Amino acid sequence: MTLAADANSSLIDPAKLDRLGEVAVRVGLNLQPGQDLLMTAPTAALPLVRSIAKHAYKAGAGLVTPLLSDEEVTLARYRNAPDASFDRAAGWLYEGMAKAFSANTARLAIVGDNPLLLAGEDPQKVARANKANSTAYQPALEKIVGFDINWNIVAFPGAAWAKQVFSSDDESTAVKKLAEAIFSASRVDVADPIAAWAEHNKTLRQRTDWLNGERFSALHFKGPGTDLTIGLADGHEWQGGASTAKNGVVCNANIPTEEVFTTPHALRVDGHVRSTKPLSYQGTLIDEIAVRFEAGRIVEAKASRGEEVLNKVLDTDEGARRLGEVALVPHSSPISKSGILFFNTLFDENASCHIALGQCYSKCFVNGDKLTPEQIAAQGGNKSLIHIDWMIGSGQIDIDGIRADGSRVPVFRQGEWA
Ligand code: ZN
Ligand code: ZN
């Protein structure tokens, strides 16, 4: 494993990788002088971890603390650990994370794991471990979804992930291709990535300004296998691109990002919808999801693959069957145009309109940072241990905005802004 990781990291353009590290720190986090940083990453991503640590300290970071996960260690658990241990999680670690966030520590996550790592393991154990982990992670997750501090997610081209995306290539070609795809989508393959991000943030801002001016009460999605009306939460606000965390830092939580998104009303979603891309969820692939909503709740769920895991996810808690996010992404977005299926939500959600099951974002409400959880719930915001995005957009989807008086405004036609 170590040898392979080292061999692969030499295939990745070191200059672009270093620019990705710089963009993660300066655009993604906008890390402030004196601010601490907590970073999680797979072991394969060490070259990026080191670059980020360097740029973080250059930006004046107080203390950078990396936490590494390892695929072999994860598999060792599934194959050797006692059965009862699958209902446990490292709660002490997440409590420590929550404490760090309360003390204004920024959070950075590097993704790049094998999307199918757990595909061959016992789905019961996977579901139990996921549930235990979600529950234990809650105190820390609350501070992330509440946007208490500046946070960011970036990607590193792990070998197993690259092989899944470019399955007909040999491993080294696949890693090179995935690295270039990540650099291009993350806008670090241009001369001045920091300026490119400022321009991109401006474009997304124009979209959110228009939607916030319209104040639609619902969106109607229509396409193959989809006829879905998504009521929007009372006092919802559209977000996209750079936004301000509660600690006052303007950051880009996702790199890349192409979406504008807001909060659906947890009780006002009706109709049926079909996924347009497979969802990779904690090592399991869930494909061709088809669900039916009644009064905001999923009452019927099917999938051609991973249906058992999907239904387990939906049973996590009451909010897992309701929506916490709706996001608009044009079919012509650069990630969509690349034609690459990344099997990774950070990328695939930015190639396509999507919805998320579970927890809503309080920042997607007008004055959301001042609302109590009770007020957010009263305005239609959903609450859950999970937040899982899945893709429903395509070149065939039409979306209408529905005003309070019932009149309609075209928002998307054939997958593009109308
Ligand atoms: Zn989203
Ligand atoms: Zn989401």
Side-chain angles (χ1 to χ4, degrees), residues 150-295:
N150 42 330
W151 58 269
N152 170 249
I153 308 179
V154 278
F156 181 87
W161 178 25
K163 265 300 282 175
Q164 162 137 36
V165 177
F166 299 101
S167 50
S168 52
D169 292 301
D170 62 70
E171 188 171 291
S172 44
T173 309
V175 168
K176 273 190 212 168
K177 281 186 175 174
L178 182 58
E180 289 306 314
I182 289 171
F183 295 147
S184 163
S186 307
R187 297 169 200 263
V188 297
D189 60 345
V190 295
D192 187 350
I194 309 286
W197 270 96
E199 187 59 34
H200 181 48
N201 277 328
K202 215 169 93 187
T203 307
L204 292 172
R205 185 60 187 265
Q206 286 163 357
R207 301 292 187 208
T208 56
D209 282 350
W210 177 70
L211 288 162
N212 285 327
E214 285 287 352
R215 304 232 54 83
F216 294 124
S217 67
L219 297 177
H220 179 222
F221 285 69
K222 200 149 174 40
T226 292
D227 186 350
L228 184 71
T229 302
I230 301 180
L232 300 180
D234 303 329
H236 69 271
E237 182 163 284
W238 288 88
Q239 298 276 349
S243 50
T244 310
K246 279 183 195 161
N247 65 357
V249 179
V250 178
C251 66
N252 270 89
N254 286 180
I255 290 199
T257 186
E258 304 288 337
E259 61 173 339
V260 299
F261 57 103
T262 196
T263 305
H265 196 293
L267 309 177
R268 297 184 197 146
V269 182
D270 287 280
H272 51 93
V273 59
R274 204 156 74 190
S275 66
T276 50
K277 283 170 189 284
L279 163 67
S280 166
Y281 176 69
Q282 302 200 343
T284 306
L285 208 64
I286 308 176
D287 203 4
E288 293 178 43
I289 301 170
V291 303
R292 193 161 61 80
F293 285 90
E294 272 178 23

Side-chain angles (χ1 to χ4, degrees), residues 67-82:
L67 292 173
L68 300 178
S69 59
D70 184 72
E71 294 178 354
E72 293 293 319
V73 172
T74 303
L75 289 178
R77 180 188 185 195
Y78 278 92
R79 290 167 192 179
N80 303 286

Side-chain angles (χ1 to χ4, degrees), residues 259 261 325 327 349 354 387 389:
E259 61 173 339
F261 57 103
E325 179 192 342
E349 76 160 350
H354 56 271
H387 177 100
D389 300 272

